[in-house]
Amino acid sequence: MNNSQIKELEAIFSKENVLTAQEDMIAYSYDASHVEIRPEAVVFATTTEQISALMKFAYREHLPVTPRGQGSGLSGGSVPLNRGIVLCMDRMKRVIEFDPANRLITVEAGLTTADIDPVAGEANLFYPPDPGSVAFSTIGGNVAENAGGLRGLKYGVTKDYVKMMKVVLPQGDIVTMGNKCVKHVAGFNMEGIFVGSEGLLGIMTEVTLALLPIPKHRESALAIFNSLDGAAQAVSDIIASGVTPSTMEFMDNATINAIQNFKDCGLPRDAAAVLLIETDGEEHSAVFEMAQVEIQVKKNDIREFSRAKSSEERDRLFEGRRVALNALASVKPNLILEDATVMRSRLPEMVRGITDIAQQYQLQVGIFGHAGDGNLHPTFLVDMRDKEEMARTEQGVTALFQLAIDLEGTISGEHGIGLEKKPFLRNQIGAEGIRLLQDIKKTFDPLNLLNPGKMFDMPEPTACQSA
Ligand SMILES: Cc1cc2nc3c(=O)[nH]c(=O)nc-3n(C[C@H](O)[C@H](O)[C@H](O)COP(=O)(O)OP(=O)(O)OC[C@H]3O[C@@H](n4cnc5c(N)ncnc54)[C@H](O)[C@@H]3O)c2cc1C
């Protein structure tokens, strides 16, 4: 970018909200995945109008723009592949309107996810999607990735709570999509198309989210298994029995030991796997459902089933699950975390398949994740400097994605495609599916300037189109 372009950015955002120094470009060159590309400028927005002005300027000057929440994404979504401008949303973090009567909250897209509950809690409401990154991810990032979380099994994921949004389109127009009513079918489900759009179609600046009443009671338990198969089969059996726990999180032996080395959370080091299970609702129904869970887990290869006797005990177990990724990250220099997902009934086959892949390619893999959603996080523990190990890891990851597809599952349950899974998307949705995505992108962003190169490539323009 040249000096006059930087000056124009400073005119839109003011000088102190535009960075160009190399040390700053390094800080905004990566997210929680493995790709690093330095932008040419970083800007911090505080209003929708500034973003509109930015996109009009970017379109005039043909400059790529990459939206960024907190950069906690695990698929490279906020890495500026074609350099240009990184647009930071994390200073747009106001609660615009809290409407307890309609159980709605409207927030700016840069608000941290965990900052909703203290406001909602004042009216005994809560925002259910709780990704492991809840303490630092933004609502805009959650919507752009359709983030899931630990309560997804009973309460669903981000898409189930998005009612309305204000969006800046790639050429600078400001539009409002969706509606605050319970029902709304006036036109296409346009707010829906932005959920999971990974910053390719527009920049969300305000989002209206649905809230739910806080459950009156929670029952939590830890089921300790002698085999991976036993734990995976128990998940399938619990769902088949008609019970819907709010949480059913899986951790294998490698993950348990990594957690215990990282922080003592009271997990059994010698277990093959554990399930952390929670039921909630009215006290009698939460207790009844947990009794049903106990019957189902006891049919499998279980060693112990213990209920948390206090909220401190429950918090300690949940903390173990929340630090799982950090704990695994401390085992080897690098990790590659995947989120391939299958139907719950196929979870036992998925777990066996992952174990086989680890053995076949001699890889160290920790498995944890949202088992109740069929969404495991096989985590490859690697040293990226070791080329031979990385070659085996690449083969293992490819085999993992194929396994998920063969089991009628998906290559991504919640982290999105971004750059990391881009080479595998065609296997999932076919050439026709890719073509449709390209056509939609072209309609919104004809010059391919908003977060270009993510999810899929755009076709090269033909001689006649470029003329
Ligand atoms: C420790 C850890 C635990 C995690 N646990 C979970 C989990 O349980 N479930 C889960 O789903 N994910 C999880 N994640 C992944 C990540 O936190 C989520 O994908 C989250 O939604 C990203 O939010 P962010 O604000 O950091 O977005 P970023 O990483 O900055 O951006 C993600 C994508 O959203 C786009 N984007 C950001 N803001 C906007 C906007 N306002 N408008 C348009 N596009 C935008 C970006 O361009 C990018 O493509 C975890 C990550 C970590 C590091």
Side-chain angles (χ1 to χ4, degrees), residues 63-177:
L63 291 168
V65 175
T66 303
R68 181 182 175 95
Q70 281 287 8
S72 72
L74 287 157
S75 55
S78 56
V79 176
L81 183 66
N82 291 2
R83 305 200 65 211
I85 303 160
V86 162
L87 165 64
C88 292
M89 297 299 297
D90 60 345
R91 293 191 189 164
M92 291 187 69
K93 51 193 322 166
R94 281 182 316 133
V95 173
I96 295 165
E97 187 189 20
F98 175 41
D99 176 2
N102 289 301
R103 296 185 189 162
L104 295 174
I105 191 163
T106 302
V107 301
E108 286 185 332
L111 185 77
T112 304
T113 317
D115 286 346
I116 292 187
D117 276 355
V119 180
E122 283 170 23
N124 209 29
L125 297 170
F126 79 120
Y127 176 60
D130 61 338
S133 51
V134 67
F136 44 89
S137 65
T138 65
I139 287 298
N142 291 172
V143 177
E145 299 289 356
N146 190 15
L150 274 62
R151 296 187 284 234
L153 169 58
K154 178 168 179 178
Y155 292 105
V157 297
T158 304
K159 78 173 158 60
D160 301 307
Y161 295 87
V162 174
K163 301 293 296 174
M164 198 169 101
M165 58 177 70
K166 191 181 273 187
V167 178
V168 178
L169 295 176
Q171 296 179 68
D173 293 335
I174 301 170
V175 291
T176 299
M177 321 261 190

Side-chain angles (χ1 to χ4, degrees), residues 310-351:
S310 62
S311 55
E312 290 75 31
E313 206 181 319
R314 175 180 61 212
D315 291 348
R316 194 161 167 235
L317 294 174
F318 269 83
E319 190 181 2
R321 168 60 188 86
R322 287 206 184 273
V323 299
L325 183 54
N326 299 354
L328 284 167
S330 64
V331 176
K332 287 205 53 175
N334 309 99
L335 57 76
I336 296 173
L337 172 87
E338 295 303 345
D339 67 325
T341 301
V342 293
M343 288 176 286
R344 275 89 57 121
S345 59
R346 308 209 72 169
L347 204 61
E349 290 168 83
M350 186 67 176
V351 171

Side-chain angles (χ1 to χ4, degrees), residues 10 48 66 122 136 152 170 177 203 234 242 284 295 304 338 364 368 393 448 457:
E10 289 172 353
T48 301
T66 303
E122 283 170 23
F136 44 89
M177 321 261 190
I203 300 144
H284 64 274
I295 293 169
E304 198 182 319
E338 295 303 345
Q364 209 177 335
F368 69 101
T393 307
N448 190 24
D457 284 319

Side-chain angles (χ1 to χ4, degrees), residues 13-53:
F13 293 98
S14 84
K15 203 171 165 56
E16 64 274 19
N17 292 322
V18 179
L19 306 178
T20 53
Q22 275 317 298
E23 59 270 30
D24 293 324
M25 298 308 101
I26 293 169
Y28 291 90
S29 66
Y30 59 89
D31 63 0
S33 68
H34 299 104
V35 205
E36 273 187 50
I37 297 162
R38 290 182 206 175
E40 292 163 272
V42 175
V43 297
F44 297 89
T46 48
T47 67
T48 301
E49 289 68 30
Q50 284 176 338
I51 297 174
S52 167

Side-chain angles (χ1 to χ4, degrees), residues 425-446:
L425 185 60
R426 187 175 291 262
N427 290 354
Q428 176 89 55
I429 64 171
E432 302 75 18
I434 297 277
R435 223 166 12 249
L436 185 58
L437 294 184
Q438 290 167 333
D439 287 346
I440 293 170
K441 169 76 170 160
K442 208 161 143 198
T443 303
F444 281 84
D445 183 11

